[in-house]
Amino acid sequence: MPSLPRPLTLPPDPAGRRALRRRRRSETATAWAFVSPAVLVILGLSVLPVIWSLLLSFQANDLVTPSRWVGLDNYRALSQDPNFSQAVRNTLLYTLMYVPLSIVIGLALALALNRRIHFVGLYRTLFFVPFVISATAQGVLFSFILDPDFGAANSVLHHLGISPQGFLTDSSQALFVLVAITLWSGTGLCTVIYLAALQDVDQSLIEAARLDGAGRRHLLRHVTLPTLTPVSVFLLLWQTIQSLQVFDLVYVTTKGGPLGSTTVIVYFIWEQAFKNFTAGYGAAAAYVLALALFAVGAVLRVARGRGRSLRTKAAA
């Protein structure tokens, strides 16, 4: 049997390879020239401060005199500090009230605004506008409205025959009032996101369920809510992170009072670092909060992954 002819191959071209390498190096250098300003900004404003604050949490530092290495003493002091324990309790209570209520109210409003009604665009805008207002402006506005002596809220209560309330000056009411203010502004985000998600619900599933005799309640439970699960998980994570980091509203309205009833973790960190000049102690509290945020994100990510695997097995 005759052998097949050997294929003809061209010898490698060293000049061509060198030109290709030069062109790739030139493209890489050009890319880094465009990217380097953003990289420097990220390193200067994010990475380096994070590393510096981590080192600071192991030091005794008053931002004036030279720091002194104390190891884990700041973290041990936090575990025994009643003010920090109160700040943690206030933050958890705020989060447990605000997050579920904002998601449930946002979903209810989205379902109501997803119908064909007159002026629906105006209603959607009105519900979203408070979210755009800054926390500082909200705090100033509600400080006037809820003023126990001259505020409009007590004036309305007086005309209704109800005794005046302390609102933000009453230690038993202040935290609940802050939750109500945040719900007024933060629910608009949940409403808009749920409205967008409702537009993507497969109408064929809804029509099929209606043909099978499903009522409005069954459609919501078995068709709409399962479709909105990824959005709900995202909002749960987002709202939890936002509530754990609340600061502006507290600073403008109550400054942690009265009697520490509205002192949350971020305000406690600010107070220790920039009011009491114990920067190392404040940095340690900040890293406790960072670990809590990381734990929340990890738990929700694991729960979302398990939910996906269960749905995949069910579909299979």
Side-chain angles (χ1 to χ4, degrees):
M1 183 177 180
S3 59
L4 295 175
R6 297 180 62 183
L8 296 175
T9 57
L10 296 175
D13 183 8
R17 289 186 177 182
R18 285 194 297 269
L20 180 60
R21 284 196 295 267
R22 282 197 301 269
R23 186 168 67 250
R24 288 179 177 175
R25 283 196 296 266
S26 176
E27 292 176 352
T28 303
T30 303
W32 274 108
F34 282 105
V35 173
S36 56
V39 173
L40 292 176
V41 169
I42 293 173
L43 289 175
L45 299 180
S46 299
V47 179
L48 293 180
V50 166
I51 298 174
W52 180 76
S53 61
L54 177 61
L55 296 175
L56 186 63
S57 67
F58 298 105
Q59 303 173 27
N61 190 310
D62 59 2
L63 299 177
V64 178
T65 60
S67 60
R68 178 171 52 87
W69 188 267
V70 295
L72 296 175
D73 288 354
N74 287 328
Y75 293 94
R76 295 191 189 99
L78 281 175
S79 64
Q80 301 172 1
D81 189 346
N83 294 323
F84 180 70
S85 300
Q86 184 183 26
V88 171
R89 287 194 301 270
N90 291 337
T91 305
L92 291 177
L93 181 58
Y94 177 91
T95 302
L96 291 175
M97 288 189 295
Y98 169 66
V99 174
L101 287 174
S102 65
I103 293 176
V104 171
I105 297 174
L107 177 60
L109 290 174
L111 291 171
L113 296 175
N114 196 41
R115 302 177 181 179
R116 295 181 178 178
I117 56 178
H118 293 294
F119 308 110
V120 65
L122 175 63
Y123 298 145
R124 293 175 179 177
T125 303
L126 291 177
F127 280 114
F128 185 71
V129 163
F131 176 74
V132 182
I133 302 174
S134 68
T136 303
Q138 296 172 32
V140 173
L141 172 65
F142 280 97
S143 293
F144 282 107
I145 294 175
L146 301 176
D147 186 275
D149 298 322
F150 309 104
N154 272 334
S155 178
V156 173
L157 292 179
H158 175 72
H159 287 293
L160 296 176
I162 302 175
S163 60
Q165 303 297 313
F167 297 117
L168 294 172
T169 60
D170 189 340
S171 59
S172 63
Q173 299 179 5
L175 188 63
F176 300 98
V177 173
L178 288 180
V179 172
I181 295 173
T182 316
L183 283 174
W184 174 78
S185 61
T187 305
L189 175 67
C190 299
T191 303
V192 170
I193 292 179
Y194 271 129
L195 269 172
L198 287 172
Q199 307 299 320
D200 292 333
V201 175
D202 193 349
Q203 295 299 317
S204 62
L205 295 177
I206 297 178
E207 294 298 331
R210 285 175 177 169
L211 291 175
D212 289 337
R216 183 174 298 175
R217 181 171 60 87
H218 293 90
L219 285 174
L220 177 63
R221 179 180 177 183
H222 298 289
V223 179
T224 304
L225 291 182
T227 307
L228 299 179
T229 299
V231 176
S232 299
V233 173
F234 163 75
L235 285 176
L236 178 62
L237 177 61
W238 178 265
Q239 296 291 77
T240 302
I241 292 174
Q242 294 299 310
S243 60
L244 290 176
Q245 297 182 101
V246 62
F247 170 77
D248 297 357
L249 188 62
V250 174
Y251 180 80
V252 174
T253 55
T254 64
K255 289 187 169 49
L259 301 176
S261 59
T262 60
T263 299
V264 291
I265 293 180
V266 178
Y267 186 83
F268 176 86
I269 295 169
W270 174 86
E271 195 173 40
Q272 296 303 317
F274 302 105
K275 189 176 180 181
N276 299 336
F277 295 102
T278 52
Y281 194 58
Y287 269 89
V288 172
L289 175 60
L291 289 175
L293 294 173
F294 178 79
V296 169
V299 168
L300 290 178
R301 185 175 182 85
V302 170
R304 186 176 181 181
R306 289 184 178 179
R308 282 182 177 177
S309 62
L310 290 175
R311 288 195 299 269
T312 303
K313 290 180 180 179

